[in-house]
Amino acid sequence: MRTADHPNLPQVMLPGQAASVPGPLDMSNMYLAHYGFRRDLGYLLTAVGRIDLGDRRRLGALREHLMWVLFVLHYHHTAEDEGIWPRLRERAPEAVGTIDALEAEHAACDRWIGESAEAFQAFGAAPSEQGRDRLMTALRALADTLGAHLAHEETEGIPLIMAHITAREDKKIHKAITKQYGLRKLIKLLGWMTYELPPHVEDQLRRTSPKAMVLLSSLARRRYERLGRYLWG
């Protein structure tokens, strides 16, 4: 089933994004999540590199935030592994090489997800320069591996999604993700995704999103900004 004959919708273009592909589905949530991963892994690298080893409270807050980012990434990748790639394999056999590569990139990210979590746990329990080096290596590898995957997804994966996933299926996938969060985490997610957006993207989302969502996102972002100021200074 193809959707490419439907009207195109405007898509957001965020810092670090490799492409903004027009099509029948609103891919804002995916692009915003990608932006959040890129942004926060960069911030975490900077913060870990500078933090005083004696600042246990902030170390704990940074580790907790990494776990939040990895939590979001888990559901982001699970939705693709379970709801998107199998459908694309069935409907776009000519693109099996691209789909295989995207799935393999998830597996490559998993290695550094695990190493980053373990390295931060060890660093937080017994802060040392050796522990910092191990953690920085893991975070840098995760940022590079995930960054390459996100760019591949934006240039080749999203066009396949646009062509072969229906609006109804897309809505069902997003609804399933939402259920995994619960209200409290969902509000945090909204704040996280809309944190430090460029003004032109804020304007675009304000014009194209339902009014209730715009209001809720604005409230969630203001709440989230307090955490951002503490984490990143």
Side-chain angles (χ1 to χ4, degrees):
M1 182 180 297
R2 298 183 62 85
T3 62
D5 56 339
H6 286 247
N8 290 338
L9 295 173
Q11 307 293 331
V12 297
M13 187 70 189
L14 290 151
Q17 191 172 311
S20 182
V21 181
L25 305 177
D26 181 357
M27 303 301 295
S28 296
N29 285 340
M30 180 172 281
Y31 288 131
L32 288 168
H34 288 191
Y35 173 66
F37 299 138
R38 290 177 170 119
R39 179 197 65 217
D40 283 14
L41 286 172
Y43 277 158
L44 280 162
L45 275 163
T46 299
V48 169
R50 294 176 177 175
I51 194 167
D52 185 326
L53 296 181
D55 192 347
R56 293 297 190 96
R57 182 178 177 184
R58 190 153 176 264
L59 270 174
L62 289 172
R63 178 176 176 272
E64 183 179 345
H65 188 71
L66 172 64
M67 299 313 294
W68 163 257
V69 173
L70 298 184
F71 171 81
V72 178
L73 181 58
H74 169 73
Y75 283 115
H76 183 80
H77 279 179
T78 298
E80 294 169 350
D81 291 338
E82 295 181 355
I84 294 178
W85 308 143
R87 287 184 170 96
L88 294 184
R89 283 187 178 281
E90 178 184 335
R91 299 170 190 177
E94 74 283 359
V96 67
T98 296
I99 300 163
D100 284 344
L102 290 167
E103 288 188 325
E105 288 160 13
H106 280 192
C109 289
D110 287 344
R111 173 192 173 186
W112 295 111
I113 288 169
E115 172 62 12
S116 295
E118 290 177 12
F120 218 142
Q121 182 176 6
F123 182 53
S128 67
E129 290 301 335
Q130 184 178 7
R132 189 202 305 269
D133 290 344
R134 177 192 174 191
L135 177 55
M136 292 283 286
T137 297
L139 288 174
R140 195 174 290 115
L142 176 57
D144 290 345
T145 305
L146 179 60
H149 167 66
L150 299 180
H152 189 191
E153 198 166 77
E154 289 160 357
T155 54
E156 297 190 55
I158 289 178
L160 288 172
I161 293 171
M162 290 287 199
H164 297 285
I165 302 296
T166 68
R168 178 177 292 181
E169 288 168 337
D170 183 60
K171 184 176 180 180
K172 185 177 180 179
I173 291 166
H174 281 96
K175 187 175 181 180
I177 296 173
T178 299
K179 284 184 177 180
Q180 301 291 335
Y181 281 86
L183 181 59
R184 187 173 181 178
K185 286 188 174 72
L186 185 59
I187 291 172
K188 183 176 181 178
L189 180 68
L190 283 172
W192 178 79
M193 289 198 306
T194 56
Y195 178 63
E196 291 192 338
L197 292 181
H200 75 277
V201 175
E202 285 193 15
D203 290 342
Q204 182 176 343
L205 292 175
R206 196 175 296 115
R207 291 193 308 269
T208 58
S209 302
K211 289 184 178 180
M213 183 59 69
V214 171
L215 178 60
L216 183 58
S217 297
S218 179
L219 293 172
R221 185 174 65 250
R222 285 201 293 271
R223 181 177 179 180
Y224 187 85
E225 284 169 352
R226 293 195 294 271
L227 174 62
R229 284 193 296 269
Y230 176 67
L231 289 174
W232 318 129

